[in-house]
Amino acid sequence: MKHIVITGGAGFIGSHVVRLFVTKYPDYRIINLDALTYAGNLENLADIEKYPNYFFEKANILDIAALENIFEKHRITDVIHLAAESHVDRSIVSPLDFVYTNVIGTVNLLNVARKHWAQDLSKHLFYHVSTDEVYGALGNTGLFTESTPYHPNSPYSASKASSDHFVRAYAETYDMQTVISNCSNNYGPYHFPEKLIPLFINNIIQKKSLPVYGDGLYTRDWLYVKDHASAIDLVFHKGKPDETYNIGGFNEWKNIDLIKLMCSLMDEKLGRAPGENEKLITYVKDRPGHDRRYAIDASKINTELGWKPSATFEEGLSETIDWYLQNTEWLQHVTSGAYQNYYTSMYSNR
Ligand code: NAD
Ligand code: TYD
C-alpha cells in the first residue's frame, strides 16, 4: 500500500498530479504537503478534497519538525516533490527565497525521507520534479537531451539545478532510490497569472496591455499540464531508478507567434473584432539573462516508457482559454490583494 506525499500539491502542476493520483489510485493514500504560499491555492482541488484517500497537510519544507511529523503520522512510503518557488522574474528580484525553498527545502525532504526509510531504502522512491531550464539556453537549432550539460542562467534555474544535483548525490552516496524528470513549459487550468499564458489571458480579458519582453522572438516548448501529470504517473510507476527523463511537448513557439494566436482565439471567444486584442501588444524592457530558446528531446520517455503528449496545442490552448473564461471567480480570488502589488512592482519600471 502506497502512502505518497506530493509536495506543492496546491500549486499549478501539483494540483493536476494530486487529482490524477487521487482519482486513478483509490488504494493509495495521497498526502498533499503544501505551505500555501501566494502560488498555492486549495480551491485548485475543491473537486477532490472529500475523497477518502486524500489528505492535506499545511507545512513548509523548511520546517524539519513538521516534515518528520508528517512522515511519521502518514507512514510515508514515497515522495513526489514539486514544491518550489517557480517564477523566473521573482527569482531575479529575490534569489535567496529560491535557495531556501528549492535547495534547502529539497535537502530537508531528502534527509527526512532517508531517515524514515532507513530500514529498506530499496522499497521507497524519491521522485524529484524539475525543469528543462537547468540546461540553459539553446541557439536556433538543437534539443536538450538527458545528457546535455547543466548550464543554468537564472537564479530559478540555478536553484533547480542545485536541487537536481542533491537528489542525484543522495542516490549515489546513500543508495536512495530516486528519479528526476525535467519538463518544458507547462500551460493549462489553475496556472497562476504571473506566467506568460495565464497573465496574457487575464490581461486580454481586462483589455490591459500585453508586456512582451525584448524582441518577442524567444522560443519555448509548451506542454499541456495534464500531459505532464500523465508523464509523472508513468515515470513514478515505470521509470528506472536513478534515471532522469526529459518531458516535452514537441511544440516550439516563438513568444510573439503564440501571443498573436492567443489574441486571435480570444477575439473570437470574446466577440471582439478581428485584430482588436493584438492592439494590446506592448514591447517592454527585456528580462535580464533571458534564455533565448528551450526545446526538449523527449525520445527517451517516448521509446522507453511509451509516453507522448495527447493534446494538440490548438486544443489545449483553446480549452485553457475556455477554462479561464468560465472560472472568473478563481481568477478574481488569485488576482486580488497581494497580486496587485506584485503587478505594479514587476511591470511599472519596464
Ligand atoms: P507553482 O508555483 O504553481 O506551485 C508551487 C507550489 O509549491 C505552491 O502550491 C506553493 O504553495 C508550494 N510551495 C512553495 N514553497 C513551499 C515551501 N517552502 N514549502 C511547501 N510548499 C511550498 O509551481 P508549478 O508551476 O506548479 O511547478 C511545480 C514544480 O514543477 C516546480 O518544482 C517547478 O520547478 C517544476 N516545473 C514547472 C514547470 C512550469 O512550466 N510551471 C515546468 C517544469 C517544471
Ligand atoms: P514564463 O511564463 O515566465 O516562463 P519561463 O520564463 O520559465 O520560460 O515566460 C515564458 C516566456 O514569455 C519567456 O520567454 C518570457 C516571456 N514573457 C514575456 O514576454 N512577458 C511576460 O510578461 C512574461 C511573464 C513572460
Side-chain angles (χ1 to χ4, degrees):
M1 168 99 168
K2 289 192 181 298
H3 296 194
I4 306 169
V5 67
I6 299 181
T7 71
F12 165 48
I13 301 171
S15 62
H16 288 277
V17 177
V18 166
R19 178 176 295 99
L20 178 66
F21 274 68
V22 164
T23 53
K24 187 169 173 187
Y25 302 107
D27 292 343
Y28 295 179
R29 282 164 79 93
I30 302 301
I31 297 92
N32 171 13
L33 186 164
D34 199 296
L36 300 182
T37 68
Y38 78 93
N41 183 356
L42 289 178
E43 281 181 56
N44 298 359
L45 290 164
D47 55 326
I48 58 113
E49 68 187 2
K50 297 257 154 49
Y51 276 58
N53 61 336
Y54 171 71
F55 304 86
F56 174 66
E57 294 284 356
K58 182 173 186 309
N60 195 307
I61 54 173
L62 294 171
D63 182 347
I64 299 168
L67 296 182
E68 299 264 13
N69 277 337
I70 292 165
F71 270 69
E72 190 78 34
K73 175 176 161 193
H74 292 283
R75 287 174 283 115
I76 298 299
T77 59
D78 302 271
V79 172
I80 304 179
H81 177 37
L82 296 105
E85 287 292 339
S86 67
H87 188 37
V88 174
D89 290 327
R90 286 182 191 256
S91 82
I92 294 167
V93 179
S94 317
L96 260 184
D97 292 342
F98 287 67
V99 177
Y100 288 131
T101 287
N102 298 0
V103 185
I104 299 174
T106 300
V107 177
N108 282 341
L109 208 52
L110 284 163
N111 283 339
V112 172
R114 180 175 160 241
K115 183 171 156 194
H116 280 260
W117 300 340
Q119 266 198 342
D120 189 353
L121 284 167
S122 71
K123 289 203 173 116
H124 307 280
L125 181 68
F126 190 104
Y127 182 168
H128 180 57
V129 175
S130 193
T131 165
D132 61 353
E133 303 193 24
V134 298
Y135 299 121
L138 291 164
N140 288 335
T141 56
L143 299 170
F144 297 133
T145 72
E146 286 78 1
S147 56
T148 302
Y150 275 31
H151 191 98
N153 292 318
S154 71
Y156 164 65
S157 55
S159 69
K160 290 297 290 186
S162 174
S163 64
D164 293 10
H165 290 321
F166 272 102
V167 172
R168 207 183 307 276
Y170 271 57
E172 283 297 318
T173 308
Y174 305 115
D175 269 344
M176 283 181 77
Q177 275 205 89
T178 66
V179 70
I180 300 174
S181 55
N182 296 85
C183 187
S184 64
N185 286 60
N186 285 214
Y187 69 95
Y190 303 108
H191 204 181
F192 192 80
E194 63 183 357
K195 310 277 170 63
L196 179 73
I197 290 182
L199 181 86
F200 278 36
I201 293 175
N202 187 31
N203 284 13
I204 290 173
I205 293 172
Q206 296 188 44
K207 298 191 175 174
K208 272 168 76 171
S209 74
L210 304 176
V212 179
Y213 296 168
D215 61 7
L217 299 177
Y218 294 85
T219 299
R220 297 292 183 263
D221 175 359
W222 293 94
L223 177 68
Y224 197 41
V225 63
K226 292 180 191 174
D227 282 325
H228 188 190
S230 78
I232 289 174
D233 178 18
L234 206 57
V235 171
F236 178 80
H237 289 98
K238 303 262 169 62
K240 286 201 202 110
D242 307 337
E243 288 278 323
T244 164
Y245 293 89
N246 280 356
I247 305 170
F250 303 102
N251 179 42
E252 287 185 49
W253 283 80
K254 286 198 170 46
N255 289 345
I256 194 64
D257 295 336
L258 164 59
I259 291 160
K260 286 184 176 166
L261 174 63
M262 287 168 60
C263 285
S264 73
L265 279 171
M266 290 188 70
D267 280 339
E268 212 179 295
K269 288 179 193 288
L270 291 167
R272 295 181 188 166
E276 199 176 329
N277 290 328
E278 268 196 34
K279 292 186 199 145
L280 300 169
I281 291 176
T282 314
Y283 287 88
V284 299
K285 201 167 110 202
D286 210 348
R287 172 189 280 174
H290 198 168
D291 285 333
R292 194 62 169 167
R293 175 171 164 260
Y294 301 142
I296 280 273
D297 177 352
S299 45
K300 177 176 173 184
I301 187 171
N302 178 248
T303 50
E304 286 188 16
L305 305 182
W307 175 87
K308 62 175 175 23
S310 65
T312 68
F313 190 55
E314 283 69 14
E315 283 163 6
L317 189 63
S318 176
E319 245 180 74
T320 302
I321 295 169
D322 289 344
W323 185 88
Y324 281 90
L325 293 177
Q326 284 154 18
N327 288 272
T328 45
E329 210 171 292
W330 181 93
L331 205 47
Q332 270 158 19
H333 288 178
V334 301
T335 54
S336 61
Y339 181 84
Q340 304 300 335
N341 299 334
Y342 164 80
Y343 201 88
T344 310
S345 71
M346 194 59 77
Y347 290 97
S348 60
N349 298 325
R350 285 194 188 269

